[in-house]
Amino acid sequence: MSSAPLTAPLFSRAQRRCHLLLLLFLPAPALTLEKLCQLNGVDPAVARQDIADVGDEIQRFHQLELHQMVDGSFRIHGTELDRRLCLLLWLRRALRLSQEFVCEHFALPLRQRLKVLRIEKALWDETNLQALIQHCSLRLARNFTPRDRLFLQIFMKYALCQRQNALFNDRQRAWLSGKIERSAADDVIHHWQKRCHLAPHVSETDFWTLLFSLMNAPDGNRLDDLPAQKLMTAVEALIARFEQLANTRIKNQQELKLQLFTHLAQALDRSHFAIGIDNSVALDVARLYPRLLRTTERALHYFGSDFDTRFSAEEVSLVAVLFGAWLMQESALQEKQVLLLTGADAAVEQLLEQQLREMTLLPINITYQDMLHFQREGAPRDVALVITPYATALPLFSPPLIHAELPLSDHQQQRIRQLLES
């Protein structure tokens, strides 16, 4: 008896996870394992793994918990603000990856829910929503892409279904009060309250201020308001502090200022609202570029204080990457190749590697080679420095070789920095 031929999965892993998350935000019907298997076209084992993956991610990045209820259905538990911020991120991701699914299995059920709730159709009619979105575009002087317009249309329908407000603390409200996006947010809430005869609730204006801000990548060439001007001044001070701490001079700063302006504007929003980011970069930067990371962290200390926040290790690492990339670009240097010769003491070798990485701001690539192999074959091409804690004879042709006795002497450190940074 022959087995049935295998068929390609209907959706990628990323698409399936987006579908799962959106289904969890629908008010009804409750999401079950059977329904998820049916919609994503997978067997229960794959669906359970998708559920576990999504649960881990939303807990790490959004402080939300995914639970299976006694009836077998799945629910997301957390604050209304964290829930909405999670949906904001995942709905935008889903529209990039699986727009057809979003429209059929998320947007359409929202329409049906609005009918059940007897929300005035004029509020959620697509033509009227697009008119409101166009008004916001003009108010903000921003051109929304077709995908952004679709996102706003769907998210507005979701918001009209909600009966619970997103709540903010005093520090968060203070941060949002000066945002340029507040005027557009005011218009959205005023329009809905006027049609529904609802009492105003400032937290909804706060939320739409934040949503419009999170959708935007600010341009440092447009400093039209006081918050943008304050941020650019802080960026310039950050670069100056980095130069002082690193004992270096960044000559062509304009492009770096623009990159940092856009990145830090978004990082400040994430920091104020505890929106997490992937930590894999932070782990790599801490291990590979400790001096660059430490210098960036110290330079960011006063920057964070200026904006009443403290950046996470993940956020600091991304700023360190921007500084490191700029230093490499400005010096026109490629990542220097260092060969560390190994023998019988792995602990000493690891300590030597760590000291090497502590010595320079610029990225270096350290590879290991057995001492005997080096004596027979020499060093690979493009190696800038050979270093070892063991005494060894120098082959006939070799890059500079340093016999390092820990701790490294001042003379050896100076020589190593000269070889790596020249």
Side-chain angles (χ1 to χ4, degrees):
M1 180 177 179
S2 61
S3 60
L6 295 175
T7 57
L10 292 174
F11 303 107
S12 69
R13 178 173 175 268
Q15 287 175 316
R16 295 197 312 269
R17 294 170 66 196
C18 286
H19 301 169
L20 165 59
L21 194 285
L22 295 184
L23 294 170
L24 287 166
F25 275 91
L26 285 176
L31 179 63
T32 63
L33 185 67
E34 181 181 12
K35 181 179 179 181
L36 183 61
C37 290
Q38 178 184 358
L39 289 177
N40 271 343
V42 294
D43 61 38
V46 174
R48 288 191 188 93
Q49 185 60 55
D50 289 339
I51 291 169
D53 291 342
V54 168
D56 288 343
E57 184 164 344
I58 65 174
Q59 184 176 44
R60 192 163 77 247
F61 297 156
H62 300 285
Q63 302 83 51
L64 297 172
E65 294 185 355
L66 178 55
H67 294 294
Q68 186 169 19
M69 313 307 287
V70 292
D71 63 357
S73 64
F74 294 90
R75 294 282 192 280
I76 291 179
H77 293 176
T79 69
E80 179 66 14
L81 176 57
D82 288 336
R83 285 170 54 86
R84 291 196 199 182
L85 290 176
C86 177
L87 177 60
L88 188 161
L89 173 70
W90 284 75
L91 177 55
R92 296 189 78 191
R93 184 185 299 172
L95 286 170
R96 291 195 305 270
L97 297 174
S98 200
Q99 182 171 310
E100 184 177 344
F101 184 97
V102 174
C103 293
E104 181 178 352
H105 295 286
F106 188 69
L108 186 58
L110 289 178
R111 285 173 55 91
Q112 296 166 348
R113 178 65 175 173
L114 289 164
K115 291 179 182 178
V116 171
L117 294 174
R118 297 184 179 179
I119 303 296
E120 185 179 345
K121 186 176 180 181
L123 287 176
W124 51 268
D125 174 79
E126 277 83 357
T127 300
N128 292 342
L129 283 178
Q130 285 302 325
L132 179 58
I133 292 166
Q134 178 61 16
H135 171 83
C136 292
S137 174
L138 295 173
R139 194 81 148 112
L140 295 167
R142 294 174 192 165
N143 293 319
F144 293 129
T145 66
R147 186 184 294 152
D148 282 342
R149 289 176 179 272
L150 179 57
F151 161 77
L152 285 168
Q153 176 182 300
I154 295 172
F155 205 100
M156 285 177 172
K157 290 180 183 178
Y158 173 82
L160 288 168
C161 289
Q162 304 312 300
R163 290 296 176 264
Q164 186 176 350
N165 295 309
L167 302 180
F168 298 82
N169 61 38
D170 291 342
R171 187 175 67 91
Q172 291 169 335
R173 285 195 295 270
W175 173 247
L176 294 171
S177 65
K179 289 274 190 182
I180 195 173
E181 291 84 2
R182 195 162 192 85
S183 59
D186 273 328
D187 290 348
V188 170
I189 302 306
H190 177 73
H191 172 73
W192 288 347
Q193 289 164 348
K194 182 179 178 181
R195 300 294 304 226
C196 294
H197 308 290
L198 299 174
H201 199 296
V202 69
S203 70
E204 288 304 299
T205 301
D206 286 335
F207 176 76
W208 283 90
T209 301
L210 176 57
L211 181 142
F212 285 129
S213 181
L214 290 172
M215 289 182 65
N216 185 44
D219 184 355
N221 287 312
R222 295 180 56 187
L223 305 178
D224 302 327
D225 57 278
L226 288 175
Q229 294 165 16
K230 176 185 176 181
L231 176 58
M232 182 56 81
T233 300
V235 167
E236 291 170 347
L238 170 66
I239 294 174
R241 281 194 295 271
F242 182 90
E243 288 180 319
Q244 182 182 16
L245 292 167
N247 193 27
T248 189
R249 174 71 180 150
I250 299 175
K251 294 184 288 294
N252 302 311
Q253 295 186 5
Q254 184 58 26
E255 188 62 32
L256 176 60
K257 284 196 295 187
L258 294 177
Q259 289 179 11
L260 285 170
F261 179 90
T262 300
H263 178 84
L264 287 168
Q266 297 171 319
L268 283 168
D269 275 343
R270 291 193 296 266
S271 181
H272 275 90
F273 299 95
I275 302 171
I277 57 174
D278 185 18
N279 67 348
S280 59
V281 172
L283 295 174
D284 287 341
V285 172
R287 180 176 62 87
L288 299 176
Y289 317 118
R291 185 182 170 200
L292 175 63
L293 180 62
R294 188 170 60 252
T295 303
T296 304
E297 187 173 27
R298 291 175 63 191
L300 277 170
H301 175 73
Y302 291 105
F303 182 94
S305 299
D306 288 343
F307 295 96
D308 193 24
T309 193
R310 182 177 179 180
F311 289 120
S312 66
E314 291 81 7
E315 294 288 3
V316 173
S317 69
L318 292 183
V319 179
V321 169
L322 286 177
F323 273 117
W326 194 257
L327 289 172
M328 291 289 289
Q329 177 180 321
E330 224 183 34
S331 59
L333 291 175
Q334 299 298 317
E335 188 176 57
K336 287 298 179 72
Q337 306 296 314
V338 177
L339 185 66
L340 199 159
L341 302 183
T342 61
D345 196 333
V348 170
E349 294 158 9
Q350 291 174 9
L351 182 59
L352 176 57
E353 176 179 351
Q354 188 64 24
Q355 289 199 18
L356 284 172
R357 295 193 183 282
E358 290 280 359
M359 251 182 266
T360 177
L361 289 168
L362 299 177
I364 56 174
N365 181 42
I366 299 177
T367 56
Y368 284 74
Q369 186 178 33
D370 179 75
M371 181 82 69
L372 296 178
H373 186 272
F374 172 74
Q375 291 293 345
R376 292 194 307 267
E377 306 292 338
R381 294 182 60 184
D382 301 323
V383 169
L385 167 67
V386 179
I387 191 166
T388 180
Y390 312 109
T392 181
L394 192 64
L396 184 60
F397 299 103
S398 171
L401 184 146
I402 292 178
H403 173 214
E405 294 184 357
L406 300 179
L408 293 168
S409 66
D410 291 341
H411 174 73
Q412 284 185 324
Q413 291 188 44
Q414 184 179 359
R415 174 60 175 153
I416 290 169
R417 277 195 292 268
Q418 181 184 16
L419 290 167
L420 297 180
E421 297 179 0
S422 62

